[in-house]
């Protein structure tokens, strides 16, 4: 236990809550602060990242993270179905995204980009705590990609229109309960069952792949996953004692099991849906931040608004008055608090990567940024939230995200060998 770092974590948390509670304009912004802190803390404690699900499978042969994400998707979908069952869905901002060429291309591009940068939209905020040069490079070019993609997202029919739609979202996308409206619970039972089946197929294929890698001797495993298994065994032997050093280490001082993290994030998502009426998004602020950077160098807000086909208010709103910007910033703080509690914080700007690797990080960020505009979201906005909201688009996006992840890893392998 690193007492100095643990004390720093407590102080940062207290200062953040006090300043947020007193300086943020309204309660909705403070709520976003809480969501960000919670998500960042959970993501860092569980080392859960969407990029890792592909990279670990391709590079190490382990599909534990991918399987865990399927658990998270199912649990969150069940929570969402419970919220929506006896509610007017028009009272929620459900992310039932269009199914079109943009979704497919965006999935491939984002999958390839997150493989090259080894992080994703939320992951880049978490990585700012541990690998600043890589995270900043990725973030800069991610923002550029989002910014460049704004006008395409606003004007291109292959991004805005959908090839398929259902009754409740005519011309928008496919809402699974609509497909089973003849079934129990107005289609929600079958929609959740279909979500479980699709997740089960992914888990089955993932296990088959991992067994194949084990059989041919190419399975390498992931150090963090092995460490978790050992910690779980020790925790079972020691049992639980409230307010003990062992309990501190288990819940604050050590990594969490990935399944624990998945359940925590599902719970946070459920509370987010209940309190805000919408799911988790992350990528649009990166384009806004990039635009603010251009404005700092003298580019007029009117020129930016005309280029992006977005209102000027989108770029003139102060940083801490924009809910998702606050949430993204808080994700970084939450991750910092988690790392400090674990006693593993070591801030450094040391360049541990080669110029070739930095070029890959930049390319990865650009691909992810553009991909979010094509697919109308990132790994949370086009994958997690749509699946949780019972949209078919999320599952289609997942397929092309995985394809892009393989392409990105092969390209990475060819460049850095």
């Amino acid at each position: 236990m690193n007492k100095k770092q643990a004390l720093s974590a407590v102080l940062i948390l207290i200062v953040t809550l006090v300043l947020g509670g007193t300086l943020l304009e309204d309660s909705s912004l403070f709520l976003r602060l809480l969501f960000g802190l919670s998500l960042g803390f959970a993501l860092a404690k569980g080392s859960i990242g969407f990029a890792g699900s592909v990279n670990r499978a391709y590079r190490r042969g382990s599909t534990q993270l991918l399987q865990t994400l399927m658990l998270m998707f199912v649990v969150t979908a069940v929570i969402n179905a419970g919220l929506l069952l006896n509610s007017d869905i028009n009272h929620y901002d459900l992310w039932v995204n269009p199914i079109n060429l943009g979704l497919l291309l965006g999935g491939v591009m984002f999958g390839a980009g997150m493989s090259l940068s080894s992080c994703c939209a939320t992951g880049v905020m978490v990585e700012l705590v541990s690998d600043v040069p890589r995270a900043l490079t990725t973030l800069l070019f991610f923002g550029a990609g989002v910014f460049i993609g704004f006008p395409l997202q606003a004007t291109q029919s292959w991004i805005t229109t959908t090839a398929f739609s259902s009754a409740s979202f005519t011309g928008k996308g496919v809402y699974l309960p609509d497909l089973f409206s003849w079934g129990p619970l107005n289609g929600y039972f079958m929609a959740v069952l279909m979500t479980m089946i699709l997740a089960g197929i992914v888990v089955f294929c993932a296990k088959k792949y991992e067994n194949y890698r084990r059989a041919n001797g190419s399975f390498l495993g992931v150090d963090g996953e092995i460490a978790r298994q050992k910690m779980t065994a020790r925790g079972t032997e020691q049992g639980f004692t409230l307010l003990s050093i062992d309990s501190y280490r288990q819940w604050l001082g050590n990594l969490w099991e990935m399944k624990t993290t998945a359940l925590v994030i599902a719970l946070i998502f459920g509370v987010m849906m209940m309190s805000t009426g919408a799911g988790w998004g992350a990528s649009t602020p990166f384009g806004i931040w990039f635009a603010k950077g251009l404005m700092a160098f003298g580019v007029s807000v009117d020129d930016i608004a005309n280029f992006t086909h977005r209102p000027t208010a989108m770029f003139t709103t102060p940083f801490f008055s924009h809910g998702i910007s606050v949430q993204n910033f808080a994700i970084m703080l939450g991750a910092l608090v988690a790392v400090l509690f674990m006693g593993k914080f070591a801030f450094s700007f040391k360049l541990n990567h080669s110029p070739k690797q930095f070029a890959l990080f930049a390319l990865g960020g650009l691909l992810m940024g553009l991909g979010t505009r094509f697919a109308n979201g990132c790994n949370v906005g086009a994958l997690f939230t749509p699946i949780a909201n019972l949209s078919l688009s999320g599952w289609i996006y997942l397929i092309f995200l995985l394809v892009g992840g393989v392409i990105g890893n092969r390209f990475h392998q060819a460049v850095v060998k």
Side-chain angles (χ1 to χ4, degrees):
M1 176 179 176
N2 188 319
K3 293 183 179 180
K4 288 185 178 180
Q5 291 202 11
L7 179 59
S8 298
V10 172
L11 290 175
I12 289 173
L13 190 57
I14 292 173
V15 169
T16 299
L17 293 175
V18 170
L19 291 179
T22 55
L23 298 181
L24 291 175
E25 294 176 0
D26 55 51
S27 59
S28 67
L29 293 172
F30 185 72
L31 184 61
R32 288 294 179 183
L33 179 73
L34 295 179
F35 284 140
L37 288 171
S38 303
L39 288 168
F41 187 86
L43 289 167
K45 293 290 288 184
S47 292
I48 278 188
F50 295 88
S53 65
V54 180
N55 289 350
R56 293 181 191 182
Y58 187 90
R59 300 174 187 178
R60 311 294 296 183
S62 173
T63 61
Q64 283 189 37
L65 179 52
L66 181 58
Q67 295 177 51
T68 301
L69 291 178
M70 293 305 107
L71 170 67
M72 185 173 75
F73 291 171
V74 168
V75 173
T76 313
V78 171
I79 293 173
N80 276 241
L83 290 174
L84 298 169
L85 176 59
N86 293 312
S87 302
D88 182 354
I89 61 174
N90 294 313
H91 292 164
Y92 291 89
D93 180 17
L94 299 182
W95 293 18
V96 181
N97 290 351
I99 299 172
N100 51 33
L101 179 61
L103 182 72
L104 312 187
L105 288 177
V108 173
M109 292 172 69
F110 198 92
M114 70 181 189
S115 296
L116 297 178
S117 294
S118 294
C119 62
C120 55
T122 52
V124 72
M125 302 308 298
V126 175
E127 291 297 328
L128 279 170
V129 174
S130 58
D131 192 343
V132 178
R134 174 166 64 89
L136 283 179
T137 302
T138 301
L139 180 60
L140 173 63
F141 284 88
F142 196 128
V146 172
F147 182 80
I148 294 169
F150 275 147
L152 296 173
Q153 186 184 27
T155 61
Q156 299 302 304
S157 60
W158 52 274
I159 297 175
T160 58
T161 60
T162 183
F164 309 97
S165 62
S166 61
S168 298
F169 291 85
T170 303
K172 297 180 180 179
V174 177
Y175 187 51
L176 290 178
D178 286 343
L179 303 183
F180 306 103
S181 57
W182 46 265
L185 302 178
N186 298 322
Y188 284 96
F189 175 78
M190 292 298 296
V192 169
L193 183 60
M194 177 59 67
T195 300
M196 291 179 176
I197 291 171
L198 293 172
I201 292 172
V202 174
V203 170
F204 174 80
C205 294
K207 287 185 175 181
K208 281 285 188 181
Y209 171 78
E210 184 172 318
N211 290 337
Y212 167 77
R213 292 287 296 265
R214 289 180 184 273
N216 68 14
S218 61
F219 179 85
L220 301 175
V222 178
D223 292 342
E225 294 174 359
I226 296 171
R228 280 184 182 83
Q229 292 171 355
K230 293 179 179 179
M231 286 189 298
T232 301
R234 288 198 299 269
T236 303
E237 293 172 1
Q238 293 171 351
F240 174 77
T241 303
L242 188 64
L243 301 179
S244 67
I245 294 297
D246 289 335
S247 294
Y248 169 85
R249 288 172 178 163
Q250 183 176 355
W251 292 104
L252 295 176
N254 285 328
L255 293 169
W256 287 351
E257 287 187 69
M258 287 190 292
K259 290 181 180 178
T260 300
T261 302
L263 294 176
V264 169
I265 292 176
L267 178 62
I268 295 169
F269 190 104
V271 175
M272 187 182 295
M273 280 290 296
M274 286 186 285
S275 57
T276 69
W280 182 9
S283 59
T284 297
F286 297 156
I288 297 174
W289 300 351
F290 186 84
K292 287 182 178 294
L294 294 179
M295 290 164 60
F297 282 98
V299 181
S300 75
V301 67
D302 290 330
D303 288 340
I304 289 174
N306 290 333
F307 173 78
T308 59
H309 295 263
R310 296 294 195 277
T312 56
M314 182 174 179
F315 306 106
T316 57
T317 300
F319 184 96
F320 287 106
S321 296
H322 186 265
I324 306 304
S325 291
V326 171
Q327 184 170 288
N328 282 353
F329 179 73
I331 286 174
M332 180 190 68
L333 291 179
L336 174 60
V337 169
V339 172
L340 285 168
F341 271 127
M342 291 187 287
K344 296 182 178 180
F345 179 70
F347 186 81
S348 173
F349 271 102
K350 186 177 181 180
L351 302 180
N352 295 318
H353 309 288
S354 68
K356 187 182 294 186
Q357 288 174 315
F358 275 111
L360 289 175
F361 301 154
L363 176 60
L366 191 63
L367 285 172
M368 285 191 287
L370 277 170
T372 66
R373 299 309 93 191
F374 291 177
N376 293 293
C378 59
N379 48 0
V380 290
L383 176 65
F384 183 27
T385 294
I387 288 177
N389 287 170
L390 305 174
S391 171
L392 179 61
S393 65
W395 290 105
I396 296 174
Y397 182 82
L398 174 62
I399 295 171
F400 287 87
L401 183 80
L402 294 174
V403 171
V406 173
I407 293 172
N409 270 290
R410 288 186 175 178
F411 180 75
H412 179 275
Q413 195 174 45
V415 170
V416 301
K417 67 178 180 180

